[in-house]
């Protein structure tokens, strides 16, 4: 992959998942400045958020897969991101997701996006049974992983501290 | 598509995964990485490398890796980081690659590319007062002080503008 525009685009009933653009940064930075990001390594100041945002974009080119921005199919609004996190120091690809604001909670948006990302990663990127690495205090993400059919797969030590590992069911590529 | 620049002794190309060892070695060295937010652990060096790749993809310009005799010895390019005032011409070199004019040679190539490919008349840079090497290099490239600002980290820095091509200064 030589450009972000080479990344696949995923569509669901309500959402379009597309690769990141520069214009997505403000929503990402606002999320990472908020207490909502505490179980995802945050909060970050704007400069730290930039490194994280740019690194995630760079992963698409380095690995050929990464995070999609979740956008509302009607309004185009950026709701969050879902996709594969796999830096050099992570033992295997991780399926991750984050929803930027609480106004989108309780409508099944995160689940719709996470399933699309899981299936898209299998179909387009050959990642068929990823793990999700979740902080023990992140009850909302743990509940979503379980609703998606992932099962607990132990605990592991990350550079950011200990995390629970969930294993997703194998999806045909 | 990120270009590759060549000079008499150097190749400047986009960063790639195999550059991790060079990034990690640089950022592990507290003295070498002092003005670059270091020292950093190897995993943080991977994030910097990934961010350099992503910067090119998101903005169309960024920081190249400098190769000499086929091996990565540092980086040079233009970064424009959110939460930080303006863009900057930036360079880093592994300690063994210093004192040989590599930063100046790489910077000249980046300035020419900024003029030709990006259409920029000048590139800005900034540095801490005690970073004498950066000031010397900037002045050797024709940089002229524009202003002084307090940066978000509380340090005051001089901001210089460097013409991308000598004839533009006339």
């Amino acid at each position: 992959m030589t450009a972000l525009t080479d990344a696949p685009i995923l569509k669901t009933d309500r959402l379009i998942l597309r690769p990141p653009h520069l214009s997505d940064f403000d929503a990402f930075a606002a999320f990472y400045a908020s207490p909502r990001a505490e179980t995802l390594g945050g909060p970050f100041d704007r400069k730290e958020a930039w490194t994280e945002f740019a690194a995630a974009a760079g992963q698409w080119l380095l690995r050929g897969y990464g995070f999609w921005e979740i956008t509302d199919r009607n309004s185009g609004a950026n709701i969050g991101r879902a996709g594969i996190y796999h830096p050099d120091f992570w033992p295997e690809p991780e399926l991750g997701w984050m929803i930027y604001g609480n106004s989108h909670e309780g409508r099944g948006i995160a689940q719709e996006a996470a399933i699309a990302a899981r299936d898209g990663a299998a179909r387009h990127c050959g990642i068929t049974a990823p793990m999700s690495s979740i902080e023990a205090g992140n009850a909302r993400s743990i509940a979503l992983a379980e609703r998606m059919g992932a099962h607990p797969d132990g605990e592991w030590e990350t550079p950011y501290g200990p995390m629970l590992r969930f294993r997703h069911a194998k999806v045909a590529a | 598509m990120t270009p590759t620049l060549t000079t008499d002794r150097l190749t400047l190309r986009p960063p790639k995964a195999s550059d991790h060892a060079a990034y990690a070695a640089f950022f592990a060295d507290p003295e070498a990485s002092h003005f670059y937010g270091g020292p950093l652990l190897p995993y943080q060096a991977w994030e910097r490398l990934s961010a350099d790749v992503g910067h090119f993809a998101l903005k169309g310009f960024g920081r190249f890796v400098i190769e000499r005799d086929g091996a990565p010895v540092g980086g040079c390019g233009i970064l424009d980081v959110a939460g930080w005032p303006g863009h900057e011409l930036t360079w880093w070199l592994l300690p063994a690659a210093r004192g040989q004019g590599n930063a100046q040679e790489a910077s000249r190539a980046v300035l020419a590319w900024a003029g030709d490919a990006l259409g920029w008349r000048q590139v800005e840079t900034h540095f801490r007062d005690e970073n004498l090497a950066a000031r010397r290099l900037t002045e050797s490239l024709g940089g002229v002080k524009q202003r002084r600002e307090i940066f978000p980290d509380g340090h005051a820095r001089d901001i210089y503008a460097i013409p991308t091509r000598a004839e533009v200064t006339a």
Side-chain angles (χ1 to χ4, degrees):
Chain A
M1 188 170 292
T2 57
L4 288 169
T5 47
D6 296 338
I9 290 174
L10 312 176
K11 292 179 180 169
T12 71
D13 287 348
R14 293 181 288 175
L15 307 171
I16 293 176
L17 281 69
R18 56 157 178 78
H21 303 156
L22 189 56
S23 56
D24 297 315
F25 175 67
D26 284 343
F28 180 83
F31 169 73
Y32 260 104
S34 77
R36 290 177 66 84
E38 271 169 18
T39 55
L40 295 167
F44 291 155
D45 68 23
R46 206 167 152 81
K47 194 162 181 260
E48 293 166 333
W50 170 260
T51 300
E52 195 75 16
F53 183 79
Q59 191 198 287
W60 274 108
L61 279 78
L62 290 164
R63 297 273 198 195
Y65 47 81
F67 270 93
W68 287 275
E69 298 292 334
I70 306 166
T71 61
D72 182 296
R73 205 169 166 142
N74 292 320
S75 69
N78 187 332
I79 295 170
R81 47 174 43 191
I84 302 293
Y85 180 68
H86 191 190
D88 173 77
F89 52 87
W90 226 236
E92 57 174 311
E94 177 197 350
L95 177 69
W97 53 81
M98 57 193 76
I99 299 297
Y100 293 156
N102 56 19
S103 62
H104 295 290
E105 281 174 352
R107 298 163 49 211
I109 293 280
Q111 182 166 339
E112 191 170 319
I115 289 172
R118 180 194 67 191
D119 295 353
R123 190 175 324 116
H124 298 287
C125 315
I127 297 167
T128 54
M131 59 104 159
S132 285
S133 185
I134 307 176
E135 272 196 24
N138 191 348
R140 191 175 280 277
S141 269
I142 291 170
L144 174 51
E146 289 175 339
R147 278 204 307 281
M148 290 172 69
H151 60 269
D153 188 19
E155 194 179 305
W156 71 294
E157 194 61 41
T158 79
Y160 311 120
M163 292 204 193
L164 301 176
R165 186 171 48 216
F166 289 81
R167 179 71 51 190
H168 292 272
K170 189 168 171 130
V171 177
Chain B
M1 198 52 197
T2 310
T4 294
L5 316 179
T6 52
T7 70
D8 287 349
R9 297 179 299 171
L10 310 173
T11 300
L12 280 72
R13 54 151 182 82
K16 54 189 183 186
S18 58
D19 297 322
H20 186 205
Y23 272 73
F26 175 78
F27 280 109
D29 183 329
E31 203 177 322
S33 64
H34 174 64
F35 291 118
Y36 301 83
L40 300 179
L41 295 167
Y43 86 87
Q44 296 168 311
W46 174 264
E47 288 177 341
R48 294 296 184 98
L49 192 172
S50 302
D52 282 353
V53 174
H55 190 296
F56 262 115
L58 291 162
K59 300 209 172 205
F61 61 90
R63 183 158 61 184
F64 300 86
V65 161
I66 304 170
E67 250 183 30
R68 183 162 171 182
D69 302 325
V73 298
C76 182
I78 305 168
L79 292 182
D80 180 23
V81 171
W84 205 241
H87 68 268
E88 59 170 323
L89 177 72
T90 180
W91 53 83
W92 60 273
L93 285 172
L94 291 168
R98 293 179 176 187
Q100 301 152 39
N102 287 322
Q104 192 186 55
E105 190 169 323
S107 295
R108 288 193 192 288
V110 167
L111 289 165
W113 170 74
D116 294 341
L118 305 178
W120 293 15
R121 292 172 62 85
Q122 59 180 35
V123 179
E124 291 194 343
T125 195
H126 53 252
F127 35 77
R128 299 261 295 269
D129 291 343
E130 60 271 37
N131 192 349
L132 300 177
R135 183 179 305 274
R136 269 197 303 274
L137 175 55
T138 298
E139 290 176 349
S140 80
L141 295 167
V144 176
K145 182 177 165 181
Q146 306 293 304
R147 59 193 183 276
R148 186 170 175 83
E149 274 186 30
I150 310 275
F151 277 57
D153 64 359
H155 291 285
R157 289 172 175 83
D158 285 346
I159 297 174
Y160 276 63
I162 309 170
T164 53
R165 276 190 283 187
E167 58 265 39
V168 175
T169 58

